[in-house]
Amino acid sequence: FERFDNSPLRSKAMLEIANTYMMCDNNEMAMTYYNNFVKQYPQSVYVKTALLNEGLIYYNTERDELALKTFDRLLTQYPGTDEARDALSTVKNIYIAQNRVEEYFAYVKRTTKVTISTVEQDSTTFLAVEGRYQEGEYESAAAGLENYLSKFPTGLFAVKAHYLLADSYFRLGQNDRALPHYIAVTNAGTNNYSEESLFNAANIAYGLGNYVQAATLYQRLTENAESDNSLLQGKVGGLRCAVALRRHSDIMEAGHRLLSEDKATPELKEEAWLAMARSSFDNRQHDTAYRCYAELAASANGEYNGEARCRQAEILMLGGKYDKAERLIEQIVADASSDYWLAYSFILWADIYYARGNNLQAKQTLQSIIDNYDGEDLVAVARQKLAAIIAAEEADRQAGEEEEMTIEL
């Protein structure tokens, strides 16, 4: 067991060993593993399960005071969870068996934040509403859960109620109303619904355009994920938020994190390279952009490799390396993968002609784009560049005529 100290499955293995010992009535060994689990993995979603089983072992072996102490911790740290509710049921049995009913009342008030007179109301109200949810009556369930939470905001079922309410709104397509309830679940400590709620809350916030909020939620998901899929989605979401917010340093950091993820698909890794390449290019970090685009130059995605090769040619041109840029453009033209980037490469070629003083070839190249390409954006660029060349030529012509007139005088 100690050979796998760094394994992400070690915590679950430790808990399974404890559960097995408990099932075999080897209570002392079970307690040893449960205690070690709680100490070594205090943030795990299964801590409350370990505490519940510890308390039950104490109760079943007639160590009631230790059971009460353990259940006290469970009820205090994880209120509103299924385990807390199960613990309270056993606590009630202990106090009643010892004829300490008044102490039970005080215990409930201290640990559950509800008075004993509302416990049954709490339970009855929630169970009725939960039935509507289980029947798929989400509109009715949502109304009932809103009512439950207004009456029992810190009730025994509060965490589950927020989760079911969020899920009801989500199923009804009312994501803006689901979001605050998913967040309420994530803020209630580690629980059975926290990972899924973080995942859904982050995706909803992103979909609503709340990129700052989504970035924070994806980061929390990355830090607290117990499944490979959640960990991966946290990293992907973090990158997309950074792109949406145009935060270059965050894009580079998130991109490298995603590239280091073993579970990332080739498509996701290309998305990371593209995000880093574009951000580096936009921030005039051309060497970094060139290297990132190089990872996409052979992509099976025609738009990706078209952009990559054109941007590489553009970077070479901006650096005054006209021959290398032209050779790369010739390759693009010979093996075009995208109509858009093919047209873009001709604009770059016109820029090279103009930089070399070959105005005629530059103008002809730009005119060919205007005449033959359907996309208005690049046609507008070509017209603008053509007009600039013509204007510069006219200015040179007028300057030459003025110079001739001065000489004649």
Side-chain angles (χ1 to χ4, degrees):
F1 190 82
E2 288 72 21
R3 293 169 53 198
F4 305 99
D5 285 351
N6 296 322
S7 171
L9 300 178
R10 187 177 188 276
S11 61
K12 292 183 180 179
M14 181 180 292
L15 188 64
E16 286 302 316
I17 291 173
N19 292 339
T20 301
Y21 277 126
M22 184 177 178
M23 291 176 62
C24 295
D25 293 326
N26 191 338
N27 292 325
E28 295 310 311
M29 286 299 295
M31 289 296 291
T32 298
Y33 276 92
Y34 282 133
N35 283 327
N36 288 337
F37 179 85
V38 172
K39 290 177 183 178
Q40 294 179 28
Y41 304 99
Q43 300 300 319
S44 173
V45 69
Y46 300 110
V47 166
K48 57 187 181 303
T49 303
L51 289 173
L52 176 62
N53 288 342
E54 282 184 18
L56 290 174
I57 290 174
Y58 284 134
Y59 173 67
N60 292 328
T61 55
E62 300 181 352
R63 290 178 279 182
D64 290 346
E65 294 306 314
L66 289 174
L68 289 173
K69 183 178 179 181
T70 303
F71 288 141
D72 195 329
R73 179 178 176 186
L74 172 56
L75 286 160
T76 302
Q77 295 183 2
Y78 303 96
T81 62
D82 292 343
E83 289 79 4
R85 189 167 61 258
D86 292 341
L88 187 59
S89 177
T90 305
V91 167
K92 181 178 180 180
N93 293 336
I94 292 172
Y95 277 111
I96 291 176
Q98 295 180 358
N99 195 27
R100 298 161 61 188
V101 176
E102 291 301 321
E103 291 181 48
Y104 171 66
F105 293 164
Y107 185 93
V108 171
K109 184 176 181 180
R110 175 173 60 82
T111 58
T112 66
K113 299 181 181 179
V114 295
T115 64
I116 193 64
S117 60
T118 61
V119 170
E120 289 301 322
Q121 295 179 47
D122 181 323
S123 176
T124 302
T125 302
F126 177 78
L127 291 176
V129 174
E130 185 182 30
R132 297 180 208 167
Y133 172 85
Q134 291 173 342
E135 291 295 325
E137 300 174 5
Y138 299 118
E139 289 188 9
S140 177
L145 289 163
E146 289 279 16
N147 179 60
Y148 170 82
L149 288 169
S150 68
K151 289 183 177 180
F152 309 103
T154 56
L156 293 172
F157 300 88
V159 174
K160 189 173 184 179
H162 276 296
Y163 170 76
L164 295 183
L165 182 53
D167 191 60
S168 295
Y169 282 137
F170 181 75
R171 291 171 183 270
L172 292 169
Q174 300 177 28
N175 289 353
D176 56 331
R177 302 183 72 178
L179 181 58
H181 294 287
Y182 277 130
I183 291 177
V185 175
T186 69
N187 292 336
T190 306
N191 58 75
N192 290 340
Y193 316 105
S194 54
E195 185 168 326
E196 180 184 350
S197 295
L198 267 176
F199 180 89
N200 289 341
N203 288 340
I204 289 173
Y206 182 87
L208 293 173
N210 301 333
Y211 301 122
V212 173
Q213 181 183 37
T216 300
L217 292 168
Y218 280 126
Q219 181 61 33
R220 288 178 59 190
L221 181 61
T222 301
E223 294 171 352
N224 295 284
E226 295 197 10
S227 70
D228 290 338
N229 181 61
S230 292
L231 179 62
L232 176 61
Q233 293 305 316
K235 292 180 177 180
V236 173
L239 173 63
R240 290 173 180 171
C241 287
V243 170
L245 293 167
R246 298 181 180 275
R247 293 176 174 174
H248 177 64
S249 61
D250 290 348
I251 291 172
M252 301 306 290
E253 181 180 348
H256 284 298
R257 279 203 304 266
L258 182 54
L259 289 171
S260 67
E261 175 56 53
D262 292 338
K263 300 295 183 179
T265 62
E267 291 78 12
L268 287 174
K269 291 187 176 184
E270 286 193 345
E271 181 179 344
W273 283 119
L274 185 64
M276 292 191 295
R278 286 175 173 174
S279 185
S280 297
F281 184 85
D282 291 342
N283 285 273
R284 300 180 184 277
Q285 297 182 13
H286 290 159
D287 289 344
T288 301
Y290 193 94
R291 289 194 298 271
C292 292
Y293 276 125
E295 299 292 334
L296 299 167
S299 171
N301 185 313
E303 293 299 319
Y304 283 6
N305 79 54
E307 177 178 346
R309 291 187 294 168
C310 277
R311 289 301 191 198
Q312 285 184 306
E314 188 169 5
I315 290 168
L316 291 171
M317 183 196 71
L318 291 172
K321 300 176 181 179
Y322 300 131
D323 291 343
K324 289 184 177 180
E326 190 170 33
R327 285 196 294 272
L328 185 51
I329 291 171
E330 289 172 349
Q331 294 175 15
I332 296 170
V333 172
D335 184 26
S337 60
S338 160
D339 290 342
Y340 178 91
W341 293 107
L342 175 61
Y344 193 94
S345 70
F346 276 105
I347 291 177
L348 294 179
W349 212 342
D351 287 340
I352 293 173
Y353 286 136
Y354 184 65
R356 286 171 168 169
N358 190 345
N359 290 13
L360 178 60
Q361 191 67 49
K363 290 189 291 183
Q364 289 177 343
T365 302
L366 292 170
Q367 189 63 53
S368 70
I369 296 170
I370 296 169
D371 294 339
N372 299 303
Y373 184 66
D374 293 332
E376 284 299 321
D377 51 349
L378 292 185
V379 168
V381 171
R383 285 198 177 105
Q384 183 180 19
K385 288 179 176 289
L386 179 58
I389 294 174
I390 293 172
E393 289 178 334
E394 179 61 21
D396 289 342
R397 185 187 64 77
Q398 291 181 3
E401 289 179 354
E402 291 176 0
E403 183 177 351
E404 289 179 2
M405 290 176 63
T406 301
I407 294 174
E408 289 176 1
L409 290 173

